Amino acid sequence: MLELKNISVHYGRIQAISDMSFSVEEGEIVSLIGANGAGKTTTMRTISGLLSPSAGSITFAGKDITRMKAHIRVVRGISQAPEGRGIFPGMTVMENLDMGSYGRKDRTKVGDDLERVFDLFPRLKERIKQLGGTMSGGEQQMLAIGRALMSNPKLLLLDEPSMGLAPQFIRQIFKIVTEINNQGTTVLLVEQNANQALARAHRAFVLETGSITHRGTGKELLANPAVKEAYLGVG
Amino acid sequence: MISEVIPALLHSVPMDDTWITFDVNSFAQNFWSSTFDGLTFGAIYALVALGYTLVYGVLNLINFAHSEVFIVGCYGVFFTLSALNFGPSAPRLAFWAIVGNLVLALVVAIIASALMAVIVERVAYKPLRQRKAPRLAFLITAIGVSFAIQYTIYWWRGPSPEAALTMFRPLPIFDVFGTIVDSQQVVIVIAAIILMIATDQFIRRSRTGRGIRAVAQDPDTATLMGVNKEKIIVTTFIIGGILAGAAALFYVMKIPSGVQYNGGFILGVKAFAAAVLGGIGNVRGALLGGLLIGLIGNYGQVLLGSSQWTDVVAFVVLVLVLIVRPEGILGSSLGKSKA
Amino acid sequence: ANQTAPSGTDTSGTSGRINIPAISKVDVPAGAVLPAGDGKGTCPSTTTIAYAGAETGPNAQLGINIFNGIQLAVNQHNTANPGCQVQFKKFDTEGDPNKATGPVTQIVSEPDIIGVVGLPFSGESKATGNIFEQKGLVHITPSATNPSLTKNGWTTFFRALGNDAVQGPAAAKFLTDKLQAKKVYLVQDDSDYGIGLGTTTSQALGSAMVGSDKVVTGQKDFSAVISKIMNAKADTVYYAGYYAEGAPFDQQLVGKGFTGSFVGPDGVKDDQFIKQAGDASSNSYFTCPCIPGELIPSFESEYKKLANAEPGTYSIEGYDAATVLLSGIDKGKQSRADLLSWVKSYDADGLSKHYKWDSTGELATPDVYGYKVENGKIVPIGVIGK
Amino acid sequence: MSTTDGPTLIPDDAAAQAIADREARMRPRRGWFPGLGDRWNALPRQTQWLILIVVVVIAYLLPILNPPLITTEPGNNWQIALAQMSVYALVAVGLNVVVGYAGLLDLGYVAFFALGSYTAAMLTSPDSPYVHIPYLWTLPLAMAVAMFFGVVLGVPTLRLRGDYLAIVTLGFGEIVRILATIIPAMKGQVGFQNVGHPPGTDSSGQTIFQNSNGTPWYWLTLTIIIVVLLAAGNLERSRVGRAWIAIREDEDAAEIMGVPTFKYKVWAFAIGASVGGLSGALFAGQVGFVNNQKFDIATSILFVAAVVMGGTGNKVGALLGGSLVAYIPLRFTAIAEFKYLIFGAALVIIMIFRPGGLLPARQSLLAYGRLAYNKLKGFAVGGSPASGKLVTQPGKEAGNE
Amino acid sequence: MSEAIEPDIDVDALKEQGVDLEVAERVAPERDIVTKVGEALVQVQNLTVKFGGLTALDNVTFDINRGEILGLIGPNGAGKTTCFNAMTGVYKPTSGKVLLEGQSLNGLPQHKITRRGLARTFQNIRLFGEMTALENVVVGLDARHRTSVGGALLRLPTHVREEKTAIERGMALLEFVGIADHAHFLSRHLPYGYQRRLEIARALATDPKVLCLDEPAAGFNPAEKEELMALIRTIRDDGYTVLLIEHDMKLVMGVTDRIVVLEFGKKIADAIPKIIRDDPKVISAYLGEPEDDVA
Ligand SMILES: Nc1ncnc2c1ncn2[C@@H]1O[C@H](COP(=O)(O)OP(=O)(O)OP(=O)(O)O)[C@@H](O)[C@H]1O
Ligand SMILES: Nc1ncnc2c1ncn2[C@@H]1O[C@H](COP(=O)(O)OP(=O)(O)OP(=O)(O)O)[C@@H](O)[C@H]1O
Ligand SMILES: CC(C)C[C@H](N)C(=O)O
Ligand SMILES: [Mg+2]
Ligand SMILES: [Mg+2]
């Protein structure tokens, strides 16, 4: 459903992504792992349209979206929970969730999606009046994912959802990712927590300095000794 | 030598009452007239202040060209009135004719100001945004555009203010302790407050308003929510322009001879001060700040003996308030205002 | 649909106000020296006279009136004298003392410039007189009226009109005698000119003055001053300053229901005042040590051709001052020193009055005229203060 | 404000902006002289000195050269124009300490300029009834007076952030100007004439420092500028300069790294103010006339424009910006109606094409850093590090031996 | 460079632990290298921080002993960062005290706390982006410098001496954290991992007694975390005391000597890692049952 062809991205003179190609099929969880600065976030931002590639093309659901504005991509069904969560600190939890459905035309279904989010994250329902900025790290992460779901995306981009979370939350987040996927949303997941990310993914890519060096199913990569050494740590 | 210099310096600030008084009598005598005049001007400041506050809230930038957005509105009013054949003297017109003319002038002023605001955004801000320029660069282009607009008007209309055109002679409405409050003052203050409330509600309740607040808090994430950032920014400038246009009408009503190429500058500075006093980025703060700046200045000048004190008093109070409340009276941030 | 003519009959009502009739002509000295001269002047083509003063800035109109007058004189001279084509250069000071030194220094450093008309305003004149003095360049101000200007020991400075030590008392006399004012409220601005004139006027007014206040350059809102005036129950306001503030002041004053007269000096006497004060200006009178150039038909028609406007305040003074210099050039006074001594010993009629200066550069016998607003126009009402 | 990843409050404007600005500066330099600063820094010390000497000599010769096209004549006397440009340049160098280094947006810098002017005027002009002292004495005194007020203004207000500081300083500027109008001793618009000048007469007995002779004033100011630049350089390459830049980049982090941020902000203000005072006194002397009209907000904003246009944080840029801001209106006096229109358009165009200012070069902050960096030449030089795997390469870890 | 290494320290043992003594000596010339866990260096006593109605930190008491690595863990929102901020002067405690070597830090401005010897890093990196790596470190070193405006203007000898040693020590510190070859890069041009190391070097430059690290491994992958662990150990072995906030249990368990656990602003445990690992309270509050934990 999503396909990147020969994408390159530059920050000024610095090339962050070079000639990268991969695709995500409908219904999959695809994980992207790699060291710091490998270009994972850059890839995500390129897909969501915050960055524009200097070369290559992106197609989504059969349409070329390479030059499409970011806010239109949201309407088309790409939704991102950004790195660092991007909660609107001065808005309440409810308003933050509302922002998720900003671009939606099918207003009537918004209620259903809200229910679904509250089902996934009961904590959010308890706190609908709290300002986003005063939520703790884990709660903000829930809010960010919940908000992304509010646009009823076809493709959900999650950039390091486990960052800064306590262990039991991390497990919860990964469970939820699977759950969301089971409900029919395609997920592209960027993670440092490579073990979890690979274990949950249908397919995965390893990114090194802006290009993909390994690809395969999650299980394959988990077993790959090179990947193991570089990203999974010994023991 | 120093021993001579110090007394000399001290002496240079003579404390006789020729230049500063503390005239409580005059203050009491002129209290109500200063209050009503202060409120009227305050309302105008507040409307202009909103333009600063909105743009500041969304872009975190002081829009130094906003005073020109305002003055272009004033020209809009002026040209409308000349086209309607108004002269320096106020004709006797029926009530509805006055209202009709007012609305017409208002519409033209709003269109002129809003257009100007969009032009300012396009020329001074958008190119820099695209180039990801540092913040101070925006300040300078805004100043540049402001100069350019002023002197374009200058080149076109000359250095002198435009002829004073008046639509109606204010009617006394009621009398407060011997001070007459006229229709003009009442219209200005009420209209300004209505506009403020409308803006406030718009920002809080409407979808666009939510978009504005989102862009104010985190532009990138807002984009990820499907908010068209560029459109929101332009919209914000337009809203600022609309309010400036309204302010322009009221200003011309109050000071018909104030339509001049550089007529917006000082007013702009005071409106900006008002925005900061109330808490920049805060819609309600702009209203509060505007009214306060208007009142304080007027009280100050009657108390201290001459109109020269108006701005001094206003700024001193501003500084004092900020020392106590560093984020202005109501605190900053467009985003913060709870719905 | 909406009427344009000022009615002046609303609330402010001119009823009860003294009616002083306008005059329709002034005496033009029979043998007035004119720029054309005898048409036999010869001079090098580099010969230049200059204007230094406001071309831009808030009171630019006053400067424009003046250099148009000069331009007219130069044009007339050059048409009549094929052998002597005098060049005319303008230097913009914006009327600002701080900005004036640059252009003036430029003027004195251009050797071709041998005489100057300017500077129009008292403040800038004061700031630059030294520079002219240092380089021995003669300059005739057509309009700066602050009395102290001639007390600096400058030998190159000449004033083509009466100063405020004359205008102040004349104004006071006009107020109390002609207008029969009992309670005058004096408001002055913060300029050199306003302060000087405020002082001489208030001294001459004596007990007829019931109060005074100050305003600042650039002020737009006068409500506080107006409250005070109303509270003092003044019947006449004298405003010592320029029209930039005077006009909105009068407009707001009348707007607040003031029914007395508003009197201002030369700094206020300009069509801009009427334009900006609107119908409020119908209560206004002016004093001015200037001659109504518009009543001199020859001048008026020529000026109108050139400038596409009626002569303004000080247009004729600019014209006359330029004439003084041009006639010197025609007489072969073509160095700075020669031209300076020419002006020093000058003794002849101009279109507007007789020009002869004392050793400080002050005119011997200046007149002060009164003006009033009638049907939206400033019209002279004759010499006052005598 | 929260310094970690926990609940973040409303993002702190200053910090957020610092990040945005930083990102902005990361863009490659485009425009007319890309990487000029880098190239300059790459030159050997000797070559730098040589170039500098040539530049300085040319600068001193400017009034005599009177280069065609560049000259402001016939509208304005070139020497006077130079003198005024140099004063503006000095102002910009001073303001650069405040705005460029410490990142404090001071919109009321003209107040210090005014204080300097009035100090000089009131102690030398015959219009002033007070003690008269030789003009040259007023220069240090003007610095002291301005510095004093800088501290007086700074201590209560420097806790304010960003634009709040901007409006407070702007207010201060207006207060000073209006008080000069109101307080009779400061003579409002009437002002002070015949402000003093340095002593000395030339062979023909003429005073050297005449108001109408810009050259000596220009040379004097230029010399002062050179001294101030050297001093600013010394500060820059020291703890003080580093503290300022650290404050500009991230005030909270600076504080936590042990930088007494408040103290150094006050220092920035005081030093900036004193240079402002100094330039004011020079201006007063050169023009010979001081009144309240020169010190309005518009002038103050022009000062900031000078710094930003030159290249925020770069003292040479400030120099250039200051001169230009003074120059453009002077150059175009001949077409009086258009001069400010041209000026405004120039500001816009310059900032659009060079958003970092004309000379956005970064200053080096270590007095002996060159030595240290030179030692590194053996390692990687120039360019930016390859992304990603540097960290993961084993064996490079000092901790692991 | 005055004081030599204390003779009674087991130099060989240190070497075994992988301490580069030469580097260590240059990094911290004015300080003894002591690795033995000693008496309480920092005492947090009854610390309470309230935000409006919310008690983020509730009467928390613990010590940090000289020479140890103390872990501070707890669920999200437990008050760890708040505790950190209260210690370093970012927040004013509602009540309670923080003592460093027996002296109260309450009410001191942040930069003074730093100079007393409490340094920290930030979780979201906050380097001075427009400065080179070396300059960043020298800003930290400036905390111990004496000359100010006067000295710098006149280039007084003390100033010159300080500047010169600052550069040497700065380079040594960069070497210590392993990024000396990038000394002349603007810090914003550095890769993320290097930026983290630079932050640590900058904090070390202030010559702290206690170094507080707030989630230094956030965003690192497991392999990178291991390297970081090694660096933290080296730092401790070099004589610094370390306080570490971290969510990664492997890292925390692997590197700390003792762990304090917070929940809802209250301390619920304080023990060595082994005990914490099995503490049922900690498990239910924080670790969770390790059912499907792949890691
Ligand atoms: N705004 C920027 N300007 C310039 N370079 C950037 C910018 N953002 C990222 N980079 C560079 O691009 C490269 C890729 O960065 P990116 O953020 O995509 O990495 P990442 O894989 O997401 O790393 P992390 O694990 O730290 O999130 C890095 O070398 C980084 O330094
Ligand atoms: N400035 C503040 N205003 C209001 N509440 C705050 C503020 N700072 C923190 N809190 C609240 O205090 C609690 C503790 O927050 P703290 O940041 O200390 O948690 P933490 O232990 O660091 O969590 P994490 O592991 O998610 O970073 C949270 O519930 C948070 O909502
Ligand atoms: C042009 C005039 C109004 C000038 C005025 N008389 C003055 O002395 O400044
Ligand atoms: Mg990333
Ligand atoms: Mg935390």
Side-chain angles (χ1 to χ4, degrees), chain E residues 248-284:
Chain E
D248 187 283
M249 276 311 105
K250 220 166 86 198
L251 197 147
V252 174
M253 294 298 171
V255 78
T256 55
D257 299 311
R258 193 158 57 89
I259 296 177
V260 170
V261 188
L262 297 181
E263 191 197 11
F264 294 125
K266 291 203 179 66
K267 185 170 98 173
I268 58 167
D270 179 348
I272 60 166
K274 262 199 211 96
I275 299 181
I276 294 286
R277 203 196 300 267
D278 301 325
D279 187 329
K281 262 192 298 184
V282 179
I283 292 175
S284 77

Side-chain angles (χ1 to χ4, degrees), chain D residues 67-215:
Chain D
L69 279 184
I70 293 178
T71 184
T72 53
E73 294 178 2
N76 267 285
N77 177 270
W78 171 240
Q79 286 78 17
I80 297 266
L82 275 178
Q84 302 202 341
M85 281 157 65
S86 62
V87 168
Y88 267 64
L90 183 59
V91 167
V93 170
L95 183 57
N96 182 44
V97 171
V98 185
V99 176
Y101 293 164
L104 306 166
L105 184 51
D106 183 351
L107 292 180
Y109 192 66
V110 75
F112 304 117
F113 187 75
L115 286 166
S117 291
Y118 274 104
T119 306
M122 291 172 76
L123 295 176
T124 59
S125 161
D127 295 348
S128 146
Y130 313 118
V131 219
H132 288 93
I133 60 175
Y135 172 77
L136 285 179
W137 278 105
T138 65
L139 297 184
L141 203 63
M143 292 177 78
V145 169
M147 194 175 214
F148 172 77
F149 279 96
V151 174
V152 166
L153 171 68
V155 167
T157 59
L158 279 176
R159 296 184 199 279
L160 298 176
R161 294 271 170 128
D163 300 302
Y164 289 89
L165 183 66
I167 188 72
V168 164
T169 49
L170 192 148
F172 176 71
E174 272 298 88
I175 291 172
V176 167
R177 183 183 68 84
I178 301 173
L179 284 182
T181 311
I182 300 177
I183 299 176
M186 297 178 81
K187 302 193 86 160
Q189 217 185 91
V190 175
F192 298 90
Q193 285 211 75
N194 294 325
V195 178
H197 52 76
T201 49
D202 63 14
S203 50
S204 62
Q206 282 264 19
T207 322
I208 296 174
F209 283 87
Q210 282 180 0
N211 306 133
S212 51
N213 186 358
T215 311

Side-chain angles (χ1 to χ4, degrees), chain B residues 12 56 131-132 135 143 332, chain D residues 24 27 163-164 185 301 341:
Chain B
S12 75
Y56 188 90
R131 280 153 211 263
K132 301 215 156 99
R135 187 171 176 213
I143 291 169
S332 59
Chain D
R27 296 172 328 95
D163 300 302
Y164 289 89
I301 288 172
L341 190 54

Side-chain angles (χ1 to χ4, degrees), chain A residues 11 16 35-42 83 160 192, chain D residues 23 26 387, chain E residues 192 219:
Chain A
Y11 290 104
N36 290 130
K40 305 181 295 296
T41 300
T42 308
E83 192 176 41
E160 303 208 21
Q192 288 291 4
Chain D
E23 270 175 17
M26 295 175 81
S387 51
Chain E
Y192 182 88

Side-chain angles (χ1 to χ4, degrees), chain A residues 186-205:
Chain A
T186 312
V187 178
L188 178 58
L189 174 69
V190 159
E191 254 309 322
Q192 288 291 4
N193 202 320
N195 289 314
Q196 287 271 10
L198 294 180
R200 303 241 171 216
H202 299 108
R203 286 191 303 132
F205 303 101

Side-chain angles (χ1 to χ4, degrees), chain D residues 4-5 25 250 256 373 397, chain E residues 81 114 123 126 130 132 214:
Chain D
T4 72
D5 179 46
R25 280 185 235 115
D250 188 338
I256 283 184
Y373 295 140
E397 307 301 331
Chain E
T81 302
T114 306
Q123 203 220 307
R126 293 178 77 169
E130 270 295 288
T132 63
D214 195 354

